[in-house]
Amino acid sequence: MTANYDAVVAGAGPGGLASVAALLDAGAQRILWVDPEWRGGRLNGMYREISSNTTVAIYLKAIYSSAAFRSIIDSTPAPHAITRLEEMDHNSTCQLSIAGDMICMLIDGLLARPEVEKLVGKVEEARLENTTWAITTTPTIPDQPITAHRLILSTGSHPKRPNTHEHHNPSMKTLDLDTCMQRSRLPALLPADTPLKIAVIGNSHSGILVVRNLYELAESGTRTLKILNFYHRPIKYAVYTDDGIIFDNTGLKGATAEWAKTVLEKDPDRNIVESVCVSEDEEAVLARELPSCTHLVYAVGYERGPLPRVVVDGKRVEGVLEFDMRSSGFKVPGKGEVRGLFGAGIAFPEEVKDLEGHVEAAVGMAKFVSFTQRVKGRWMGLEG
């Protein structure tokens, strides 16, 4: 017997959470939600001790914009993760642990809905047959082929980890960016009995957060280390105005921005950290500096996680799919839009312009909710 769904959602991080809520708000009656870990995505699984860049007010506005989320809040006995947010200063940010608790509460609430079915696993293949998707999962549902009218990919991303600079010093150890952003886990990566020199390549939010963690570790006296922070351009900060935020998605915010302004750009200990510009001759600068480094951290952005095999007209197309950051749909070059295939979340964000016209990718739980709420009618065929 075939299990036919209105939608299959691949991924249960913030983007998948927002997608399921939007589908329910738009009238979906049967949703299969697939994730291999069910830990609230990388945000809740790996970044709980990091300070959020989003204010409490923005979180609450986003959550209350969804009828599905509101029903969970109304039916959950207080106190809970949302009441904890409501009790905080709405103009402040919070630790991502609080946002993570909110995400887990909302996931549990959506899974309690009769319209939502949970599968611990992965979407391995999606094959478009006429106007219906035939979905293959691991594990499979015994004797129950899966079909759906639409597939939402919210498959996440992970830090880029190139090796383009390691030839300058093959003995350097490359450290994991995600682990370095977690202050409690960082010391375990670094020996305590030898002086260290650590290259951090990049000065985006993640790069500066790593620099801060390393700097404070050196200040604690438990490690002897020097940080070289390589950058192409000066640090960019979000600018708050009465009308909104300039560089809302690309500028530093919150506690990390305050630290950078008051320490890194004001009066840092030069024996601990040095900022090194590579804009004029990157290779020459790195060739000069990296041979003396013991460790290397890449903070050069994120890349999409692997997609399921996507088959359209009998041909695999996942390697050539183009995502439309305005409509949330996909197309195959030369063949047009792929019917019933959509994306959301950090791998597939909305494209927006800030107040000064800078084009950015809108990343963050609240922004995923906003995007999915805007396109939910299109997903369900309620609008063009």
Side-chain angles (χ1 to χ4, degrees):
M1 180 178 177
T2 299
N4 187 38
Y5 296 90
D6 289 332
V8 171
V9 177
L17 170 66
S19 298
V20 172
L23 286 164
L24 291 170
D25 290 342
Q29 295 299 305
R30 195 173 187 206
I31 301 167
L32 179 64
W33 197 0
V34 186
D35 190 89
E37 298 178 331
W38 291 97
R39 61 177 183 172
R42 296 173 73 85
L43 183 153
N44 190 57
M46 304 195 71
Y47 304 144
R48 287 178 61 85
E49 63 184 71
I50 298 172
S51 175
S52 172
N53 289 333
T54 303
T55 65
V56 170
I58 291 174
Y59 275 132
L60 292 173
K61 180 180 178 181
I63 297 309
Y64 279 101
S65 71
S66 164
F69 288 154
R70 292 197 303 272
S71 69
I72 295 169
I73 297 168
D74 292 341
S75 62
T76 302
H80 50 65
I82 309 299
T83 58
R84 185 179 180 190
L85 272 174
E86 290 171 338
E87 291 167 355
M88 297 178 65
D89 177 359
H90 287 201
N91 293 318
S92 71
T93 59
C94 63
Q95 288 296 108
L96 283 177
S97 59
I98 298 174
D101 291 343
M102 173 189 70
I103 287 168
C104 289
M105 170 186 161
L106 295 172
I107 287 174
D108 289 343
L110 293 181
L111 290 174
R113 296 274 298 250
E115 304 98 323
V116 181
E117 182 178 334
K118 173 182 177 180
L119 177 63
V120 181
K122 294 177 63 178
V123 175
E124 296 287 355
E125 182 177 274
R127 184 179 294 268
L128 184 60
E129 299 175 352
N130 297 319
T131 61
T132 302
W133 288 95
I135 308 293
T136 302
T137 62
T138 303
T140 59
I141 300 177
D143 303 318
Q144 209 173 40
I146 300 168
T147 62
H149 298 294
R150 51 196 65 80
L151 171 64
I152 316 298
L153 299 176
S154 185
T155 45
S157 66
H158 55 271
K160 293 179 181 177
R161 191 167 175 171
N163 58 6
T164 51
H165 304 118
E166 293 175 6
H167 67 277
H168 291 299
N169 181 356
S171 65
M172 280 188 306
K173 182 176 181 180
T174 301
L175 301 177
D176 177 64
L177 174 63
D178 279 344
T179 307
C180 290
M181 288 195 290
Q182 300 172 67
R183 187 177 306 177
S184 65
R185 297 181 61 189
L186 180 59
L189 300 178
L190 303 171
D193 57 355
T194 184
L196 308 170
K197 193 171 186 180
I198 303 174
V200 179
I201 297 181
N203 67 346
S204 63
H205 183 269
S206 57
I208 298 304
L209 180 56
V210 171
V211 171
R212 178 184 180 179
N213 287 346
L214 289 167
Y215 188 93
E216 292 177 348
L217 183 62
E219 281 192 316
S220 74
T222 61
R223 298 292 187 281
T224 301
L225 63 86
K226 173 72 177 286
I227 310 154
L228 296 183
N229 182 209
F230 297 95
Y231 68 94
H232 279 276
R233 56 189 64 83
I235 296 173
K236 183 188 298 183
Y237 296 94
V239 179
Y240 293 83
T241 73
D242 292 339
D243 298 319
I245 305 172
I246 302 169
F247 300 126
D248 184 18
N249 295 281
T250 56
L252 260 63
K253 297 178 180 176
T256 303
E258 289 305 309
W259 181 85
K261 290 177 181 178
T262 58
V263 176
L264 191 60
E265 296 200 302
K266 188 175 182 182
D267 189 26
D269 185 335
R270 302 296 178 183
N271 294 315
I272 298 179
V273 65
E274 180 182 347
S275 297
V276 183
C277 181
V278 296
S279 60
E280 293 188 4
D281 193 342
E282 179 174 353
E283 277 299 300
V285 174
L286 294 173
R288 182 182 71 241
E289 300 291 350
L290 288 183
S292 63
C293 293
T294 59
H295 295 78
L296 171 67
V297 183
Y298 283 108
V300 291
Y302 289 73
E303 59 187 1
R304 294 169 180 164
L307 297 181
R309 297 185 300 274
V310 180
V311 180
V312 177
D313 296 331
K315 296 182 180 180
R316 289 183 61 172
V317 299
E318 70 273 8
V320 297
L321 286 172
E322 293 183 356
F323 179 64
D324 185 329
M325 298 175 70
R326 296 301 300 166
S327 72
S328 81
F330 290 89
K331 68 178 180 179
V332 175
K335 293 189 176 181
E337 186 176 17
V338 179
R339 183 182 178 90
L341 183 65
F342 306 99
I346 192 168
F348 303 110
E350 182 179 19
E351 181 182 272
V352 296
K353 288 184 179 181
D354 71 9
L355 296 173
E356 292 189 346
H358 305 112
V359 177
E360 301 177 329
V363 172
M365 173 66 193
K367 292 166 184 175
F368 302 155
V369 173
S370 175
F371 188 26
T372 54
Q373 289 291 320
R374 183 174 69 77
V375 298
K376 64 186 179 185
R378 185 173 186 275
W379 287 0
M380 294 298 293
L382 303 177
E383 58 186 58

